[in-house]
Amino acid sequence: MTQQPFSRPGAIDLSALKRPAGAAPAGAPTGGASSAPAGGSAYSVAIDEANFQTVLEASMTAPVVLVFHSPSQSPESEQLARDVATVADEYDGRFLAATIDVDAVPQIAQAMQIPQVPLMLVILDGRPATQPIPGAAPIDDIRALFNQFAQQLTAQGIAGRHQPNAFGGAAAGEVGEDGEPELDPRYAPAQEALAAGDIDAAVAEYQKLADANPADHEAAAGLAMAKVLQRTQGADLNAARAAAAANPDDVDAQTLVADLDMLGGHVEDAFARLVELVRRTAGKDRDRAREHLLGLFGAVGNDDPRVLKGRQALASALF
């Protein structure tokens, strides 16, 4: 497999997708459901007409690796699609593998003028960033190619990452046969540690995920909440409230009660307590209170209206 540098050629012309599909690439039948050899991984998606434009737009954040495969024309291309998805997962969001079954969606291959399968193409900023890379390859060669791409991204200062399961999959809400949401396997060790009551192990597992991919908001939220559990182990609520009432400017006393309020579901009370602590304190104490509050925001989620209100209150307290 030829290694190629990133470049910035012209944007992809998708006008053919707006016209009735014509002849497919040689040998490709039309219709049928897309096979999804890569659909079970955290950073892959099976492409169809409905999501193709959205996937291309995702390349504005980080590269998308398109893999054109065909069960009828090239059985070996199915393994290529699976291997590319596997390797993309190893980079924790620096790449998204997008597999395109040309048997099922020939119009996409036609619009992109794909001459053969298998074929791989890297998209960045909505444009091809490499020349088409034809042919199947062993997974070790794919890893070498991705490694070269990752080095080029670093050299060019491109640090964006895709969100795990942003286009579907277990973390995005798939359910199993029992009707319960399936767990993204990346979070399984942390969840199992929580279920076993091993809070320290859960914190360590979430920390690994957050360190590997700072853009993984789910891991960051899990880490923040696991730390709340860690900080409150063995705490007595009544004693904590009494200590906080007696020492209104004691950061440790106030943050402990805020954590306990969080666990009790009193999210707004926790936020309000720390906002007022920020307002009353200065210097390092103020910084500690602010950082603790930001951690609680992360545990709840930045899109939560209570967090948005809390951020407004924090800004008012700071300025």
Side-chain angles (χ1 to χ4, degrees), residues 6-12 14 45 47 51-66 93-98 112 121-130 153 156 158-163 166-167:
F6 283 117
S7 61
R8 294 290 197 281
I12 295 173
L14 299 179
V45 57
I47 292 294
N51 66 10
F52 186 46
Q53 182 63 51
T54 303
V55 172
L56 289 183
E57 290 170 0
S59 73
M60 303 302 291
T61 298
V64 173
V65 183
L66 301 180
R94 298 199 79 181
F95 302 95
L96 174 69
M112 297 191 65
L121 183 64
V122 183
I123 305 297
L124 183 62
D125 295 336
R127 296 171 166 81
T130 65
L153 290 175
Q156 295 177 28
I158 300 171
R161 290 179 185 264
H162 296 285
Q163 288 297 300
F167 297 90

Side-chain angles (χ1 to χ4, degrees), residues 1-318:
M1 182 173 288
T2 305
Q3 297 187 355
Q4 303 179 19
F6 283 117
S7 61
R8 294 290 197 281
I12 295 173
D13 179 11
L14 299 179
S15 59
L17 294 181
K18 301 176 183 178
R19 301 192 299 268
T30 60
S34 175
S35 63
S41 62
Y43 297 101
S44 68
V45 57
I47 292 294
D48 56 26
E49 283 191 82
N51 66 10
F52 186 46
Q53 182 63 51
T54 303
V55 172
L56 289 183
E57 290 170 0
S59 73
M60 303 302 291
T61 298
V64 173
V65 183
L66 301 180
V67 184
F68 295 86
H69 64 100
S70 164
S72 66
Q73 298 181 63
S74 174
E76 68 273 16
S77 67
E78 301 295 276
Q79 185 62 51
L80 174 69
R82 287 189 288 269
D83 288 346
V84 170
T86 296
V87 176
D89 262 9
E90 295 170 1
Y91 282 84
D92 292 313
R94 298 199 79 181
F95 302 95
L96 174 69
T99 62
I100 303 172
D101 180 349
V102 302
D103 294 354
V105 282
Q107 57 273 31
I108 293 178
Q110 183 180 23
M112 297 191 65
Q113 301 180 352
I114 299 304
Q116 67 177 83
V117 289
L119 185 138
M120 188 165 66
L121 183 64
V122 183
I123 305 297
L124 183 62
D125 295 336
R127 296 171 166 81
T130 65
Q131 293 297 317
I133 305 170
I139 193 169
D140 287 344
D141 288 358
I142 297 170
R143 286 194 173 100
L145 186 62
F146 271 63
N147 184 58
Q148 184 194 37
F149 287 159
Q151 291 174 357
Q152 292 169 5
L153 290 175
T154 301
Q156 295 177 28
I158 300 171
R161 290 179 185 264
H162 296 285
Q163 288 297 300
N165 299 95
F167 297 90
E174 282 191 357
V175 296
E177 294 180 358
D178 58 359
E180 293 296 321
E182 291 186 358
L183 177 66
D184 185 324
R186 296 178 310 115
Y187 304 117
Q191 293 290 336
E192 290 168 359
L194 287 174
D198 192 343
I199 307 302
D200 293 342
V203 169
E205 292 296 336
Y206 276 125
Q207 189 68 62
K208 291 177 186 176
L209 294 171
D211 290 343
N213 184 0
D216 186 344
H217 300 303
E218 188 169 349
L223 174 62
M225 186 53 75
K227 285 184 174 180
V228 171
L229 293 168
Q230 187 180 52
R231 292 192 296 263
T232 56
Q233 288 184 96
D236 180 274
L237 178 59
N238 292 330
R241 288 196 181 281
N247 302 280
D249 294 334
D250 185 306
V251 175
D252 289 334
Q254 298 301 323
T255 54
L256 177 57
V257 174
D259 285 345
L260 291 167
D261 279 344
M262 280 282 293
L263 293 183
H266 306 295
V267 174
E268 291 172 312
D269 290 345
F271 290 173
R273 178 180 292 275
L274 294 186
V275 167
E276 289 307 311
L277 183 60
V278 168
R279 198 185 306 277
R280 293 194 305 268
T281 54
K284 291 183 178 179
D285 283 348
R286 189 185 219 198
D287 289 341
R288 286 180 59 206
R290 181 181 66 85
E291 289 298 324
H292 198 100
L293 179 55
L294 293 177
L296 297 190
F297 287 164
V300 176
N302 289 327
D303 294 332
D304 190 290
R306 295 168 297 182
V307 172
L308 298 177
K309 183 179 178 181
R311 287 189 181 279
Q312 293 173 348
L314 175 59
S316 176
L318 288 170

